[in-house]
Amino acid sequence: MIQDVEYREAASTMLCAALSQQETDFNDEIHDLYPNRFFFSDGFRSRVGKDVAARRGAAGMPDALAPEVPLGVLQQLQRPLPDKVTKLVEQNSSVVRAACERLLCKRFADFPVVQNLVQAAVQTLLDQQHRQASTKAHELLDWEAIVLTKNHYFMDTVQDLRKSLLQPSDA
C-alpha cells in the first residue's frame, strides 16, 4: 500500500513537472516569435512605414494614419498564435493521457478486464476534456483577434508612432 501511494505521488510529480516544462517551452516559443528587438528592428519599421505611406490620407485628412494600419500589424503578429496554442493543448493532452495510462496499468495490472473498462472510461473523459480545452483556448484567441478601442491613450501612442515613422531618419 505504501508503494502505491509513493508511486502515485511520483507519477503526479512527473505529470506536474512535464506540464510545467511545456508551459515554459510555450512561453519561450511565444517570446521568441517577437522579442523586444523585433519591434525596434529596421525590417519592422520599414514594413509599418510602407503601410503608413500607402494609406496616407486615406482617413480623409492629410497625413492621417489610417486605422487599418495598426490593426493590420496586430493581425499579422497574431497569425502564428492558433497553431502554437493547438500544439500546446495537444501536448498537454498527450502528457495527461500517458500519465493516466501508467497509473491505470500499475493499479489494475492484476485485473485486465477491469483495467480495460476503466481505461475506456478514462479515454472518453480525456477526449471530452481535450475537445473542451481546445474549444476554450480558441475562443480566447478569437477575443484576441478583435481589436477595438476608443481609448485616447492608445491613440496617442499610435500617433506618436506615426510621427516617429514619418520623420526623416537623419532628423
Side-chain angles (χ1 to χ4, degrees), residues 114-164:
V114 174
Q115 180 182 350
N116 289 338
L117 289 172
V118 173
Q119 277 184 321
V122 168
Q123 287 292 22
T124 301
L125 179 63
L126 291 175
D127 289 343
Q128 180 184 25
Q129 293 301 312
H130 172 78
R131 284 191 302 275
Q132 187 176 9
S134 183
T135 299
K136 292 294 182 187
H138 286 281
E139 283 176 10
L140 290 172
L141 284 174
D142 290 343
W143 275 97
E144 287 291 323
I146 300 170
V147 180
L148 174 64
T149 184
K150 294 184 181 181
N151 182 316
H152 68 282
Y153 295 114
F154 175 77
M155 293 313 297
D156 287 346
T157 302
V158 169
Q159 290 303 326
D160 288 344
L161 287 170
R162 177 191 149 275
K163 286 178 191 173
S164 69

Side-chain angles (χ1 to χ4, degrees), residues 15 18-19 22 86-102 123 126-127 130:
L15 175 62
L19 292 173
Q22 285 182 342
T86 298
K87 178 181 167 189
L88 178 66
V89 170
E90 294 290 334
Q91 288 174 334
N92 285 348
S93 179
S94 177
V95 167
V96 170
R97 281 178 198 280
C100 288
E101 191 171 311
R102 282 192 309 270
Q123 287 292 22
L126 291 175
D127 289 343
H130 172 78

